[in-house]
């Protein structure tokens, strides 16, 4: 059907696909459509399916031609994009719908020519990625880290008891509160109230961090207060804003922590006989966490240099999809849909557009890095065997302390085997990147700071 095809490269990873359809094929498609309508349409004075074609053309000429053009374009694009030999670099991205450059005119005496414009996968020519040097922090697990984990275990194994009647809430107490955010007129701000919210006072394990306002309250007390959040507050929707709260303390309990001894270790897991066994297990786990984190940091630092050596022009649709995915991830994190998340963040005084502009740089950075990784994986042409897959199943099962058959079933059920293959390829690529470049040790960082603050 397609007589001629031409691809023209445009800016921002756009292409223009120009197609020519022979006039004989155009006429054949038009007649096919006309016959279809004549066999189904019903007009006054004619039986259904018995309307002469010339009558249809006389009454609906423009609409018929428009419909014919749409069908021909759709059919031609289906044929072109369905060709398995079409290079991936010329195919539209899944989220980029081809759009007509100009509306073509149907003329049975001429070939039909039309063009569509769409985004394609950016061209990536990876620059220097071997023989680089990057600096990484120095870090090790120390006694402070072990003690912090032990204290967390004591917290989890604490006995919670009601405080005496009339007791005032203090740091370390377990409090249950009902709270709501009020508008200036005193009405509850829609969607901003919660009942039976439980947390440990002083931990600031609540988005609004109203620990200080609760301190000193008694069970049954209700209070209203205004809270101004600093401009650099960790929650963007609250940063620099003032909110009015109404809060009721409905339960006040205290925690009795267990002694740090062999008995506690045995309560944690019967495999621990002594406190020393528990400490050794914690040390091993933290060191594994540190090893994994350090690997991630090394790779990230090297990829930052490689991206600087590799210019990439990202299409708008690709960036747009990355930003939309961030809205969805936020929604899953807070158990809300994307629209509600937008409304919540809008309370910061910023509209969705402004928030998305703030995200854009990091979204582009993530896409840039990902495209480089995918390009290098293709160039390395890794082959993943069934033996490789078995080894990965065993590793995942061991890391999660589950049976290997459970892991295999999980990947079969979710149709995730191909994703696992890609993960193995990526791991191999990162091993090569680490082996081919130099890493020097920089300043020392604490374990907790490293885990929290480095990506």
């Amino acid at each position: 059907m397609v007589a001629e095809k031409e691809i023209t490269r445009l800016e921002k990873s756009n292409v223009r696909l120009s197609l020519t359809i022979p006039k004989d094929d155009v006429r054949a498609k038009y007649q096919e459509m006309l016959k279809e309508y004549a066999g189904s349409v019903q007009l006054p004075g004619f039986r259904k399916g018995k309307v002469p074609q010339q009558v249809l053309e006389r009454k609906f000429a423009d609409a018929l031609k428009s419909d014919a053009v749409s069908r021909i374009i759709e059919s031609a694009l289906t044929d072109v994009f369905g060709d398995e030999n079409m290079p991936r670099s010329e195919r539209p991205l899944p989220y980029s719908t081809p759009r007509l450059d100009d509306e073509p005119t149907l003329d049975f005496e001429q070939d039909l020519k039309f063009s569509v414009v769409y985004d394609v996968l950016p061209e990536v020519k990876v620059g220097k990625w071997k023989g680089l040097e990057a600096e990484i922090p120095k870090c090790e697990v120390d006694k402070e880290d072990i003690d912090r984990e032990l204290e967390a275990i004591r917290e989890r194994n604490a006995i919670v008891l009601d405080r005496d009647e009339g007791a005032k809430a203090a740091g370390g107490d377990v409090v249950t509160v009902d709270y709501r955010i009020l508008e200036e007129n005193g009405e509850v701000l829609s969607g901003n109230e919660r009942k039976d919210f439980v947390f440990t006072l002083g931990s600031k394990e609540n988005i609004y961090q109203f620990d200080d306002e609760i301190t000193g309250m008694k069970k049954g007390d209700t209070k209203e207060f205004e809270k101004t959040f600093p401009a650099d507050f960790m929650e963007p929707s609250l940063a620099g804003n003032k909110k009015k709260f109404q809060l009721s303390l409905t339960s006040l309990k205290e925690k009795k922590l267990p002694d740090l001894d062999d008995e506690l270790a045995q309560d944690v897991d019967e495999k621990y006989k002594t406190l020393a066994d528990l400490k050794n297990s914690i040390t091993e786990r933290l060191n594994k966490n540190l090893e994994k984190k350090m690997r991630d940091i090394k790779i990230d630092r090297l990829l930052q240099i490689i991206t600087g050596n590799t210019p990439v022009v990202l299409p708008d649709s690709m960036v747009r999809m990355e930003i939309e995915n961030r809205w969805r991830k936020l929604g899953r994190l807070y158990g809300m849909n994307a629209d509600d998340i937008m409304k919540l963040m809008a309370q910061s005084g910023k509209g969705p557009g402004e928030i998305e502009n703030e995200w854009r740089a990091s979204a582009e950075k993530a896409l840039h890095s990902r495209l480089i990784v995918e390009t290098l994986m293709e160039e390395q042409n890794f082959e993943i065997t069934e033996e490789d897959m078995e080894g990965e199943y065993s590793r995942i099962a061991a890391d999660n302390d589950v049976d290997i058959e459970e892991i295999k079933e999980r990947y079969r059920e979710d149709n995730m085997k191909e994703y696992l293959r890609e993960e193995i390829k990526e791991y191999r690529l990162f091993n090569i990147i680490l082996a081919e470049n130099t890493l020097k040790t920089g300043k020392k960082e604490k374990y907790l700071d490293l885990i929290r603050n480095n990506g």
Side-chain angles (χ1 to χ4, degrees), residues 30 53 59 66 219 221 255:
Y30 177 79
Q53 292 184 6
K59 294 179 73 68
S66 178
K219 178 182 175 181
D221 283 354
K255 287 188 286 189

Side-chain angles (χ1 to χ4, degrees), residues 13 88 93 95 120-127 303 306-307 310-315 318-319 322 363-379 426 429-430:
S13 297
R88 190 175 70 160
L93 293 172
Y95 33 80
V120 296
L121 196 67
E123 184 179 7
V124 181
K125 294 182 178 178
V126 182
L303 282 176
I306 298 169
T307 54
T310 309
V312 174
V313 179
L314 298 169
M318 182 177 277
V319 179
E322 177 71 13
E364 291 177 345
K365 177 183 175 183
L367 289 169
H368 191 165
S369 179
R370 187 68 220 163
L371 287 167
I372 288 172
V373 169
E374 290 176 354
T375 301
L376 288 174
M377 286 196 300
E378 284 185 11
E379 292 177 358
E426 183 181 86
L429 173 66
F430 289 163

Side-chain angles (χ1 to χ4, degrees), residues 106-136:
L106 188 65
D107 183 345
F108 296 119
E109 301 304 318
Q110 298 182 23
D111 295 341
L112 179 67
K113 297 184 178 183
F114 68 93
S115 299
V116 291
V117 177
Y118 53 86
D119 293 340
V120 296
L121 196 67
E123 184 179 7
V124 181
K125 294 182 178 178
V126 182
K128 183 178 180 181
W129 64 281
K130 296 181 180 180
L132 307 173
E133 184 178 279
E135 183 177 288
I136 59 168

Side-chain angles (χ1 to χ4, degrees), residues 403-417:
D403 186 78
I404 188 172
E405 291 303 320
E406 182 180 332
I407 297 298
K408 289 182 179 181
E409 186 61 30
R410 185 184 305 168
Y411 278 92
R412 278 195 295 268
E413 286 181 355
D414 297 337
N415 198 24
M416 295 285 286
K417 288 185 70 173

Side-chain angles (χ1 to χ4, degrees), residues 53 64 194 224 226 266 280 442:
Q53 292 184 6
L64 288 170
R194 183 167 175 181
E224 291 186 5
E226 287 188 342
Q266 293 162 14
N280 290 336

Side-chain angles (χ1 to χ4, degrees), residues 141 282-292 447:
V141 175
I282 292 172
T283 304
E284 181 180 355
R285 174 170 55 82
L286 294 186
N287 277 316
K288 282 184 178 179
N289 290 346
L290 178 59
E291 181 181 356
K292 183 179 183 302
Y447 171 86

Side-chain angles (χ1 to χ4, degrees), residues 6-148:
E6 181 183 1
I7 292 281
T8 305
R9 296 281 171 180
L10 307 175
E11 61 180 7
K12 282 197 169 184
S13 297
N14 272 202
V15 300
R16 178 184 292 110
L17 171 65
S18 300
L19 300 177
T20 300
I21 313 301
K23 59 184 179 182
D24 290 343
D25 288 343
V26 171
R27 166 63 72 176
K29 280 285 185 182
Y30 177 79
Q31 289 298 329
E32 179 185 309
M33 182 198 73
L34 201 58
K35 184 178 180 181
E36 176 189 325
Y37 275 125
S40 60
V41 76
Q42 187 170 3
L43 291 178
F46 299 94
R47 286 182 297 157
K48 182 177 181 181
K50 298 299 182 179
V51 180
Q53 292 184 6
Q54 60 268 29
V55 173
L56 285 177
E57 289 185 287
R58 187 171 63 250
K59 294 179 73 68
F60 307 109
D62 291 342
L64 288 170
K65 286 185 177 182
S66 178
D67 191 9
V69 169
S70 296
R71 292 188 182 206
I72 292 168
I73 290 174
E74 182 180 355
S75 179
L77 292 177
T78 299
D79 289 346
V80 170
F81 296 142
D83 182 359
E84 294 182 355
N85 295 319
M86 186 179 193
R88 190 175 70 160
S89 60
E90 295 180 1
R91 294 181 179 278
L93 293 172
Y95 33 80
S96 174
T97 303
R99 56 196 182 278
L100 274 173
D101 209 5
D102 286 304
E103 189 72 35
T105 301
L106 188 65
D107 183 345
F108 296 119
E109 301 304 318
Q110 298 182 23
D111 295 341
L112 179 67
K113 297 184 178 183
F114 68 93
S115 299
V116 291
V117 177
Y118 53 86
D119 293 340
V120 296
L121 196 67
E123 184 179 7
V124 181
K125 294 182 178 178
V126 182
K128 183 178 180 181
W129 64 281
K130 296 181 180 180
L132 307 173
E133 184 178 279
E135 183 177 288
I136 59 168
K138 179 181 180 181
C139 184
E140 58 187 22
V141 175
D142 57 23
K143 184 178 181 299
E144 179 184 355
D145 302 313
I146 308 299
D147 290 344
R148 183 176 56 252

Side-chain angles (χ1 to χ4, degrees), residues 191-324:
N192 287 270
E193 56 183 324
R194 183 167 175 181
K195 288 184 172 294
D196 300 326
F197 178 60
V198 182
F199 70 102
T200 300
L201 195 60
S203 66
K204 297 194 174 180
E205 293 173 348
N206 61 84
I207 189 174
Y208 302 110
Q209 296 195 1
F210 38 43
D211 302 60
D212 291 343
E213 287 76 15
I214 297 173
T215 300
M217 291 179 66
K218 299 177 182 179
K219 178 182 175 181
D221 283 354
T222 295
K223 68 187 297 187
E224 291 186 5
F225 56 89
E226 287 188 342
K227 189 173 181 67
T228 301
F229 297 91
D232 60 351
F233 193 64
M234 63 178 184
E235 173 53 50
S237 65
L238 297 172
N241 287 310
K242 179 189 289 186
K243 299 291 181 184
K244 185 176 183 179
F245 294 87
Q246 185 183 82
L247 183 146
S248 299
L249 179 60
T250 61
S251 175
L252 181 60
K253 300 176 182 291
E254 62 180 337
K255 287 188 286 189
K256 296 292 186 181
L257 299 179
D259 293 332
L260 199 56
D261 55 18
D262 294 346
E263 184 177 347
L264 173 61
Q266 293 162 14
D267 287 341
V268 171
D269 196 304
E270 61 183 15
K271 67 182 178 182
Y272 304 129
K273 303 303 180 186
T274 66
L275 181 61
D277 294 338
L278 177 58
K279 288 182 178 180
N280 290 336
S281 177
I282 292 172
T283 304
E284 181 180 355
R285 174 170 55 82
L286 294 186
N287 277 316
K288 282 184 178 179
N289 290 346
L290 178 59
E291 181 181 356
K292 183 179 183 302
K293 186 65 178 181
M294 287 300 296
R295 176 184 170 88
D296 291 344
I297 291 172
K298 292 172 185 178
I299 292 166
D300 183 66
R301 300 283 168 90
L302 290 168
L303 282 176
Q304 286 181 34
I305 300 173
I306 298 169
T307 54
N309 298 335
T310 309
V312 174
V313 179
L314 298 169
D316 288 337
S317 64
M318 182 177 277
V319 179
R320 176 74 247 165
M321 181 56 65
E322 177 71 13
I323 290 173
E324 287 179 4

